[in-house]
mmCIF file with all atom_site columns, all heavy atoms in Angstrom:
data_model
loop_
_atom_site.group_PDB
_atom_site.id
_atom_site.type_symbol
_atom_site.label_atom_id
_atom_site.label_alt_id
_atom_site.label_comp_id
_atom_site.label_asym_id
_atom_site.label_entity_id
_atom_site.label_seq_id
_atom_site.pdbx_PDB_ins_code
_atom_site.Cartn_x
_atom_site.Cartn_y
_atom_site.Cartn_z
_atom_site.occupancy
_atom_site.B_iso_or_equiv
_atom_site.pdbx_formal_charge
_atom_site.auth_seq_id
_atom_site.auth_comp_id
_atom_site.auth_asym_id
_atom_site.auth_atom_id
_atom_site.pdbx_PDB_model_num
ATOM 1  N N   . VAL Q 1 54 ? 7.457  -4.299 6.878  1.00 92.00 ? 66 VAL Q N   1
ATOM 2  C CA  . VAL Q 1 54 ? 6.894  -4.906 5.671  1.00 92.00 ? 66 VAL Q CA  1
ATOM 3  C C   . VAL Q 1 54 ? 5.402  -5.166 5.908  1.00 92.00 ? 66 VAL Q C   1
ATOM 4  O O   . VAL Q 1 54 ? 5.016  -5.718 6.929  1.00 92.00 ? 66 VAL Q O   1
ATOM 5  C CB  . VAL Q 1 54 ? 7.634  -6.211 5.320  1.00 92.00 ? 66 VAL Q CB  1
ATOM 6  C CG1 . VAL Q 1 54 ? 6.932  -6.951 4.182  1.00 92.00 ? 66 VAL Q CG1 1
ATOM 7  C CG2 . VAL Q 1 54 ? 9.075  -5.906 4.953  1.00 92.00 ? 66 VAL Q CG2 1
ATOM 8  N N   . GLY Q 1 55 ? 4.587  -4.728 4.967  1.00 92.00 ? 67 GLY Q N   1
ATOM 9  C CA  . GLY Q 1 55 ? 3.140  -4.886 5.066  1.00 92.00 ? 67 GLY Q CA  1
ATOM 10 C C   . GLY Q 1 55 ? 2.434  -3.672 5.631  1.00 92.00 ? 67 GLY Q C   1
ATOM 11 O O   . GLY Q 1 55 ? 1.219  -3.559 5.530  1.00 92.00 ? 67 GLY Q O   1
ATOM 12 N N   . ALA Q 1 56 ? 3.180  -2.740 6.230  1.00 95.00 ? 68 ALA Q N   1
ATOM 13 C CA  . ALA Q 1 56 ? 2.555  -1.525 6.768  1.00 95.00 ? 68 ALA Q CA  1
ATOM 14 C C   . ALA Q 1 56 ? 2.110  -0.628 5.616  1.00 95.00 ? 68 ALA Q C   1
ATOM 15 O O   . ALA Q 1 56 ? 2.573  -0.745 4.480  1.00 95.00 ? 68 ALA Q O   1
ATOM 16 C CB  . ALA Q 1 56 ? 3.540  -0.775 7.667  1.00 95.00 ? 68 ALA Q CB  1
ATOM 17 N N   . VAL Q 1 57 ? 1.205  0.284  5.939  1.00 97.00 ? 69 VAL Q N   1
ATOM 18 C CA  . VAL Q 1 57 ? 0.745  1.269  4.968  1.00 97.00 ? 69 VAL Q CA  1
ATOM 19 C C   . VAL Q 1 57 ? 1.540  2.554  5.178  1.00 97.00 ? 69 VAL Q C   1
ATOM 20 O O   . VAL Q 1 57 ? 1.543  3.109  6.281  1.00 97.00 ? 69 VAL Q O   1
ATOM 21 C CB  . VAL Q 1 57 ? -0.763 1.553  5.136  1.00 97.00 ? 69 VAL Q CB  1
ATOM 22 C CG1 . VAL Q 1 57 ? -1.215 2.657  4.180  1.00 97.00 ? 69 VAL Q CG1 1
ATOM 23 C CG2 . VAL Q 1 57 ? -1.579 0.283  4.918  1.00 97.00 ? 69 VAL Q CG2 1
ATOM 24 N N   . ALA Q 1 58 ? 2.228  2.991  4.139  1.00 97.00 ? 70 ALA Q N   1
ATOM 25 C CA  . ALA Q 1 58 ? 2.939  4.267  4.170  1.00 97.00 ? 70 ALA Q CA  1
ATOM 26 C C   . ALA Q 1 58 ? 1.953  5.360  3.776  1.00 97.00 ? 70 ALA Q C   1
ATOM 27 O O   . ALA Q 1 58 ? 1.158  5.173  2.842  1.00 97.00 ? 70 ALA Q O   1
ATOM 28 C CB  . ALA Q 1 58 ? 4.118  4.237  3.199  1.00 97.00 ? 70 ALA Q CB  1
ATOM 29 N N   . VAL Q 1 59 ? 1.993  6.490  4.489  1.00 97.00 ? 71 VAL Q N   1
ATOM 30 C CA  . VAL Q 1 59 ? 1.021  7.555  4.257  1.00 97.00 ? 71 VAL Q CA  1
ATOM 31 C C   . VAL Q 1 59 ? 1.731  8.887  4.016  1.00 97.00 ? 71 VAL Q C   1
ATOM 32 O O   . VAL Q 1 59 ? 2.668  9.241  4.732  1.00 97.00 ? 71 VAL Q O   1
ATOM 33 C CB  . VAL Q 1 59 ? 0.072  7.718  5.467  1.00 97.00 ? 71 VAL Q CB  1
ATOM 34 C CG1 . VAL Q 1 59 ? -0.977 8.788  5.195  1.00 97.00 ? 71 VAL Q CG1 1
ATOM 35 C CG2 . VAL Q 1 59 ? -0.583 6.398  5.829  1.00 97.00 ? 71 VAL Q CG2 1
ATOM 36 N N   . TRP Q 1 60 ? 1.248  9.609  3.014  1.00 94.00 ? 72 TRP Q N   1
ATOM 37 C CA  . TRP Q 1 60 ? 1.692  10.975 2.747  1.00 94.00 ? 72 TRP Q CA  1
ATOM 38 C C   . TRP Q 1 60 ? 0.479  11.872 2.920  1.00 94.00 ? 72 TRP Q C   1
ATOM 39 O O   . TRP Q 1 60 ? -0.645 11.470 2.647  1.00 94.00 ? 72 TRP Q O   1
ATOM 40 C CB  . TRP Q 1 60 ? 2.231  11.113 1.321  1.00 94.00 ? 72 TRP Q CB  1
ATOM 41 C CG  . TRP Q 1 60 ? 3.537  10.414 1.112  1.00 94.00 ? 72 TRP Q CG  1
ATOM 42 C CD1 . TRP Q 1 60 ? 4.780  10.983 1.159  1.00 94.00 ? 72 TRP Q CD1 1
ATOM 43 C CD2 . TRP Q 1 60 ? 3.745  9.035  0.825  1.00 94.00 ? 72 TRP Q CD2 1
ATOM 44 N NE1 . TRP Q 1 60 ? 5.741  10.034 0.928  1.00 94.00 ? 72 TRP Q NE1 1
ATOM 45 C CE2 . TRP Q 1 60 ? 5.132  8.821  0.723  1.00 94.00 ? 72 TRP Q CE2 1
ATOM 46 C CE3 . TRP Q 1 60 ? 2.903  7.935  0.664  1.00 94.00 ? 72 TRP Q CE3 1
ATOM 47 C CZ2 . TRP Q 1 60 ? 5.689  7.582  0.454  1.00 94.00 ? 72 TRP Q CZ2 1
ATOM 48 C CZ3 . TRP Q 1 60 ? 3.451  6.695  0.398  1.00 94.00 ? 72 TRP Q CZ3 1
ATOM 49 C CH2 . TRP Q 1 60 ? 4.834  6.532  0.297  1.00 94.00 ? 72 TRP Q CH2 1
ATOM 50 N N   . GLY Q 1 61 ? 0.691  13.100 3.325  1.00 89.00 ? 73 GLY Q N   1
ATOM 51 C CA  . GLY Q 1 61 ? -0.396 14.035 3.619  1.00 89.00 ? 73 GLY Q CA  1
ATOM 52 C C   . GLY Q 1 61 ? -0.994 14.685 2.391  1.00 89.00 ? 73 GLY Q C   1
ATOM 53 O O   . GLY Q 1 61 ? -0.690 14.330 1.245  1.00 89.00 ? 73 GLY Q O   1
ATOM 54 N N   . TRP Q 1 62 ? -1.823 15.682 2.641  1.00 80.00 ? 74 TRP Q N   1
ATOM 55 C CA  . TRP Q 1 62 ? -2.588 16.363 1.600  1.00 80.00 ? 74 TRP Q CA  1
ATOM 56 C C   . TRP Q 1 62 ? -1.688 17.010 0.550  1.00 80.00 ? 74 TRP Q C   1
ATOM 57 O O   . TRP Q 1 62 ? -2.126 17.300 -0.555 1.00 80.00 ? 74 TRP Q O   1
ATOM 58 C CB  . TRP Q 1 62 ? -3.488 17.425 2.226  1.00 80.00 ? 74 TRP Q CB  1
ATOM 59 C CG  . TRP Q 1 62 ? -2.681 18.451 2.982  1.00 80.00 ? 74 TRP Q CG  1
ATOM 60 C CD1 . TRP Q 1 62 ? -2.365 18.418 4.315  1.00 80.00 ? 74 TRP Q CD1 1
ATOM 61 C CD2 . TRP Q 1 62 ? -2.043 19.607 2.456  1.00 80.00 ? 74 TRP Q CD2 1
ATOM 62 N NE1 . TRP Q 1 62 ? -1.569 19.479 4.646  1.00 80.00 ? 74 TRP Q NE1 1
ATOM 63 C CE2 . TRP Q 1 62 ? -1.362 20.237 3.520  1.00 80.00 ? 74 TRP Q CE2 1
ATOM 64 C CE3 . TRP Q 1 62 ? -1.973 20.179 1.191  1.00 80.00 ? 74 TRP Q CE3 1
ATOM 65 C CZ2 . TRP Q 1 62 ? -0.630 21.406 3.358  1.00 80.00 ? 74 TRP Q CZ2 1
ATOM 66 C CZ3 . TRP Q 1 62 ? -1.238 21.355 1.026  1.00 80.00 ? 74 TRP Q CZ3 1
ATOM 67 C CH2 . TRP Q 1 62 ? -0.580 21.948 2.101  1.00 80.00 ? 74 TRP Q CH2 1
ATOM 68 N N   . ASN Q 1 63 ? -0.415 17.253 0.877  1.00 76.00 ? 75 ASN Q N   1
ATOM 69 C CA  . ASN Q 1 63 ? 0.468  17.922 -0.074 1.00 76.00 ? 75 ASN Q CA  1
ATOM 70 C C   . ASN Q 1 63 ? 0.815  17.066 -1.286 1.00 76.00 ? 75 ASN Q C   1
ATOM 71 O O   . ASN Q 1 63 ? 1.415  17.542 -2.232 1.00 76.00 ? 75 ASN Q O   1
ATOM 72 C CB  . ASN Q 1 63 ? 1.752  18.393 0.619  1.00 76.00 ? 75 ASN Q CB  1
ATOM 73 C CG  . ASN Q 1 63 ? 2.523  17.253 1.255  1.00 76.00 ? 75 ASN Q CG  1
ATOM 74 O OD1 . ASN Q 1 63 ? 1.927  16.262 1.685  1.00 76.00 ? 75 ASN Q OD1 1
ATOM 75 N ND2 . ASN Q 1 63 ? 3.823  17.375 1.335  1.00 76.00 ? 75 ASN Q ND2 1
ATOM 76 N N   . ILE Q 1 64 ? 0.440  15.795 -1.268 1.00 78.00 ? 76 ILE Q N   1
ATOM 77 C CA  . ILE Q 1 64 ? 0.613  14.956 -2.459 1.00 78.00 ? 76 ILE Q CA  1
ATOM 78 C C   . ILE Q 1 64 ? -0.774 14.654 -3.022 1.00 78.00 ? 76 ILE Q C   1
ATOM 79 O O   . ILE Q 1 64 ? -1.586 14.002 -2.381 1.00 78.00 ? 76 ILE Q O   1
ATOM 80 C CB  . ILE Q 1 64 ? 1.355  13.642 -2.127 1.00 78.00 ? 76 ILE Q CB  1
ATOM 81 C CG1 . ILE Q 1 64 ? 2.794  13.969 -1.764 1.00 78.00 ? 76 ILE Q CG1 1
ATOM 82 C CG2 . ILE Q 1 64 ? 1.291  12.675 -3.298 1.00 78.00 ? 76 ILE Q CG2 1
ATOM 83 C CD1 . ILE Q 1 64 ? 3.688  12.780 -1.623 1.00 78.00 ? 76 ILE Q CD1 1
ATOM 84 N N   . GLY Q 1 65 ? -1.030 15.170 -4.198 1.00 73.00 ? 77 GLY Q N   1
ATOM 85 C CA  . GLY Q 1 65 ? -2.269 14.883 -4.896 1.00 73.00 ? 77 GLY Q CA  1
ATOM 86 C C   . GLY Q 1 65 ? -3.502 15.574 -4.341 1.00 73.00 ? 77 GLY Q C   1
ATOM 87 O O   . GLY Q 1 65 ? -4.603 15.298 -4.789 1.00 73.00 ? 77 GLY Q O   1
#
Side-chain angles (χ1 to χ4, degrees):
V66 172
V69 176
V71 182
W72 290 263
W74 60 268
N75 59 330
I76 292 189

